[in-house]
Amino acid sequence: MAAMVSKLLLFLVNVLIPIAILTFATGFFPYKPFLPGLAHYNEKKYGVSPEAPFDKVIFMVVDALRRCALASQFRKKVTTDVVSDFVYCHGSGFQYTQSLINSGAALPFTAHATSPTITMPRVKAITTGSIPSFLDVILNFAESDTTATLAHQDSWLAQMAKKDGSLLMYGDDTWLKLFPDTFTRTDGTTSFFVSDFTEVDTNVTRHVPNELRTSDWNTMVLHYLGLDHIGHKTGPRSPNMVPKQQEMDEIVELIYRALEKESHLKSTLLVLCGDHGMNDAGNHGGSSPGETSPALLFISPLFKKTFNGTRCPVDSKEDFQYFSTVEQSDIVPTLAGLLGFPIPRNNLGVFIPKFLALWNSERDKEHLAWVNAKQLIEILTETFPHAEFSDTPLLPTCLVPTTDIGILESLWSNAAALKKVEDPSIPLLLDYLNDFSTFAQKVMSSTASNYDIARLQTGFVLICFAFFLSSLLFVNLPNINLGGTGLAAIALAYGAMMFASSYVEEEQNFWYWASSGWLAYLFLQDSFSGLSSLGLLVTLRIVRRWNQTGQKLAGSPNIAKTFLPHHNMVLWVAVIAAYLDLLQRLSRKGFRRAPIQVSIIVALTLILSAVGFKVAFTNADAPELLEGLTQSLLKTSEGVPLVTQARTVFLGLAASFLYTSCFELGYRRSGENPDHTDSISFLHDLLTLFLVTQSRLTNIPLFLLFELQLRILSSTSLSLPHLTTTTLLLSHTSFFALGGSNAISSIDLSNAYNGIAGYNAPAVGLLTFVSNWAGPIWWASATNLLLLRLQERGERDVLLRHWTLLTLWEAVSAAGVMAACFLLRSHLFIWTVFSPKFLYAMAWAIVMHLGVSVFIGGLLFWAGSVRRVD
């Protein structure tokens, strides 16, 4: 009876955990409210609008326009001679654009992009001027999602659509999802097919020459993805980076020449910008300077009449701040003034003061700044209904305002008072209005999200209840030794760590030190021999240095990205050793009903197809990693598409898995020693080959180290609590060793399209998860093998006790993350540190714990318990 109650409680806790997390998430990530409808210009209120200098705009987005490297190759090894940022530095491929900056035809800026630095929320910011919701991180990866549409929100595109002329869009189809039925002519490309560097941009450029000769449009949006894809695949120092910048620079030249030549383009503005930047690993989504500092240029031959040239190129800077820094949302009111349309209603941007020089009339300049300030006041009064922003100046007071709203009221009162003066100083009034608008932008940008407190509290209460029930199950477990107590202590320490932003950013250090300390403890408790302890500690030390992750050390020298790319022979020896180890294991354990020769042939076919795909993939992805020894193998797969090669590997793995599951579980050849885990071990080896296929080439040798750690653990006699704690630590360590972190920017999309010809949300989502959680998935399967051995030694209820310990861990860790997000919801780093951590916690608890460890692990454990001899 007690056993049945324990099982029911364990089931209840594992149901409560996802319910609690998802309930909390719906309160933590709500959509931000917005003012409905389109803005209309009120001439009675503001007077006649100043004449706009432009009537058309070409808005050219180069995705992730931040960093490149001037790469030279010697024996196919990449060396970075000059590091270049944006289009502005020495060594950049944007040489023609730099000449425009020097001539005064291009005005350069650094645009600050707030986190999350991914495409969908950044496109929202540069079209509406608003601060997007962090929920857009999830919607950004759900390409089929249509709930994030901006069809009913005001934007500069909606304002341009009211004018004469069509709107055109070529490039990233995110624009088509955000603005359905807005564009007349389109050609969208998916932003997640990151293996494509060339066609994804060629499909955009092929439309440009003809459209430049056509006069029926007023807006043309071009969104190029190739540079971003190169960053994701091979990093900012890829040899492909400068050629891609040169390609983009040629597009700028093509457009600028047309602006000079074509009469219908004389009053056309070209805007060149990045939606976000990239970090030193080539990724984005976080809040590092490289990710939040994309380039921004306004380009027109007309500018040379008003502006002097600016020296370019310039020396590179570590903080990526070049020329004047503006907010990315400032693009919206600036375009409104330059193109002559009302500022969109939800805009939080400020008109860039430098462009006021385009108007000769001081009154026109004052008008533009005044209308911008009044539009911001509309949002302020919606957010703070008790604030006073009257055009009638407030009575002077001796009290110094102490709140943000008080400061805003004081700034506005100063501007309103000066405007009432009969002959005000326009430069001083412009300063007052700019001070007010800039501070209003700061206040509104930092305003806390409209959290659903009731849902936050409900979710937190549910996770606390799950924690309470899992604690009851834990204290009633039989034979709880210091292993179980150690796991509980680690869980509590981890939960407390979630309240410190720096520890969340550098979480890998917690797991590295906890693993080292735990292994040392096991040695002192005589759970390991000295040789076993030394082997585990040495392999752990190597694993720790494989990929530098986190925020502080991202991009620092490490084995995977610094040593191996410059020592290709060492890399390929390690990679081949990993594949050879898999070959001998697959041929020894698989297809046991067939002769051993058949097992060897099938295993060899699987390995050769996997190696052939990985070599061909590397040739397309990072050719500098290929040495002469692999060129002959590469020739055998020439002409075969990567998609076909990947599908061949996957089909072979699937067929082997199905055959083994249906016909070979528990079977052993006559005369062999009974080992009922051989078939499950074979399935584990098939899984390993799949995970290796889904990993970067430089990470493949890590699986050889994982296997060595597993063999050492198999030779020990750890109790179940000790075993669960050890594998839990090694599982999380492997996640960070393979390059993972708590930043959105560390999500690796390089293997998300293996075997997929186009975008398929479930398939891409699955492959993305597998490639990013390859280490923990491997350890979940390896732990299953160790549990089966424990069962064979006579231990009872092995799986249920293991699940109980894992469930306690998940309940405590989820409670810690949720408590930190709830209590620190007004913290400065809530959206840059704690919110991404919560998304990762969701993936760990729901997908990894319930989906992999409990569901798939349970099935494999049950299958491994089947005993049959034919």
Side-chain angles (χ1 to χ4, degrees), residues 197 229-241 281-282 620-624 696:
F197 301 165
H229 290 184
I230 292 171
H232 281 299
K233 295 291 287 183
T234 56
R237 294 178 175 83
S238 167
N240 299 308
M241 191 64 80
D621 180 38
E624 69 276 4
R696 289 182 180 266

Side-chain angles (χ1 to χ4, degrees), residues 194-221:
V194 296
S195 297
D196 180 8
F197 301 165
T198 305
E199 288 187 13
V200 72
D201 287 343
T202 302
N203 287 337
V204 178
T205 304
R206 65 193 175 103
H207 297 283
V208 175
N210 182 60
E211 295 294 3
L212 291 175
R213 291 189 293 268
T214 306
S215 61
D216 66 340
W217 54 269
N218 64 35
T219 300
M220 178 161 58
V221 176

Side-chain angles (χ1 to χ4, degrees), residues 771-789:
S771 60
N772 285 274
W773 267 263
I777 293 171
W778 189 93
W779 274 107
S781 176
T783 301
N784 187 61
L785 297 179
L786 297 173
L787 293 177
L788 286 170
R789 292 186 181 277

Side-chain angles (χ1 to χ4, degrees), residues 99-110:
S99 72
L100 296 179
I101 296 173
N102 283 311
S103 70
L107 302 185
F109 301 91
T110 294

Side-chain angles (χ1 to χ4, degrees), residues 476-701:
N476 285 286
L477 281 176
N479 303 320
I480 287 297
N481 50 27
L482 288 177
T485 305
L487 185 144
I490 292 171
L492 291 173
Y494 180 84
M497 186 186 74
M498 292 298 100
F499 288 84
S501 61
S502 58
Y503 286 127
V504 173
E505 290 180 319
E506 308 299 330
E507 184 183 325
Q508 73 280 359
N509 292 322
F510 174 87
W511 294 105
Y512 294 159
W513 287 106
S515 299
S516 299
W518 177 254
L519 293 177
Y521 158 77
L522 291 179
F523 170 69
L524 295 176
Q525 292 293 314
D526 294 328
S527 298
F528 286 158
S529 66
L531 187 60
S532 296
S533 297
L534 179 63
L536 285 172
L537 287 171
V538 169
T539 54
L540 179 62
R541 181 60 185 172
I542 298 173
V543 164
R544 288 174 57 175
R545 291 291 297 171
W546 206 266
N547 281 288
Q548 292 284 17
T549 184
Q551 288 292 323
K552 296 180 180 178
L553 298 178
S556 298
N558 56 53
I559 296 174
K561 296 177 181 177
T562 307
F563 177 77
L564 292 179
H566 293 87
H567 299 82
N568 287 355
M569 287 298 294
V570 177
L571 168 64
W572 281 101
V573 167
V575 169
I576 292 172
Y579 279 113
L580 287 176
D581 178 65
L582 273 171
L583 174 62
Q584 65 87 18
R585 285 191 278 140
L586 290 171
S587 59
R588 179 167 51 87
K589 301 174 187 175
F591 306 99
R592 305 174 71 80
R593 289 179 178 271
I596 188 66
Q597 293 86 350
V598 173
S599 297
I600 293 174
I601 292 173
V602 173
L604 185 60
T605 302
L606 282 173
I607 293 296
L608 287 178
S609 63
V611 173
F613 166 71
K614 187 57 67 175
V615 171
F617 183 90
T618 303
N619 185 58
D621 180 38
E624 69 276 4
L625 296 178
L626 292 175
E627 283 289 344
L629 65 94
T630 60
Q631 291 299 315
S632 58
L633 181 59
L634 182 62
K635 292 179 181 179
T636 62
S637 59
E638 281 184 354
V640 182
L642 284 174
V643 171
T644 302
Q645 294 186 53
R647 288 176 177 176
T648 301
V649 177
F650 293 161
L651 287 174
L653 290 171
S656 300
F657 181 88
L658 289 174
Y659 175 81
T660 302
S661 301
C662 296
F663 301 109
E664 298 226 345
L665 283 177
Y667 177 83
R668 59 185 175 86
R669 292 190 180 97
S670 177
E672 289 185 344
N673 293 326
D675 188 348
H676 303 293
T677 63
D678 263 357
S679 296
I680 295 298
S681 182
F682 177 69
L683 295 181
H684 169 74
D685 296 334
L686 289 176
L687 174 65
T688 302
L689 184 56
F690 174 56
L691 296 175
V692 164
T693 303
Q694 283 302 113
S695 299
R696 289 182 180 266
L697 179 74
T698 51
N699 282 338
I700 290 177

Side-chain angles (χ1 to χ4, degrees), residues 239-308:
N240 299 308
M241 191 64 80
V242 170
K244 175 58 67 175
Q245 288 201 17
Q246 292 169 342
E247 178 188 343
M248 295 297 98
D249 192 51
E250 291 172 0
I251 306 304
V252 174
E253 182 176 5
L254 172 68
I255 295 173
Y256 186 81
R257 299 293 188 195
L259 300 187
E260 291 183 313
K261 177 182 177 183
E262 302 289 345
S263 59
H264 65 277
L265 298 177
K266 292 297 183 182
S267 299
T268 300
L269 173 67
L270 169 61
V271 179
L272 171 65
C273 66
D275 53 345
H276 50 72
M278 67 174 68
N279 60 19
D280 287 340
N283 298 318
H284 55 89
S287 56
S288 67
E291 297 166 80
T292 59
S293 304
L296 171 64
L297 295 100
F298 293 81
I299 304 171
S300 170
L302 300 179
F303 288 158
K304 291 193 288 187
K305 299 177 182 178
T306 306
F307 302 105
N308 295 322

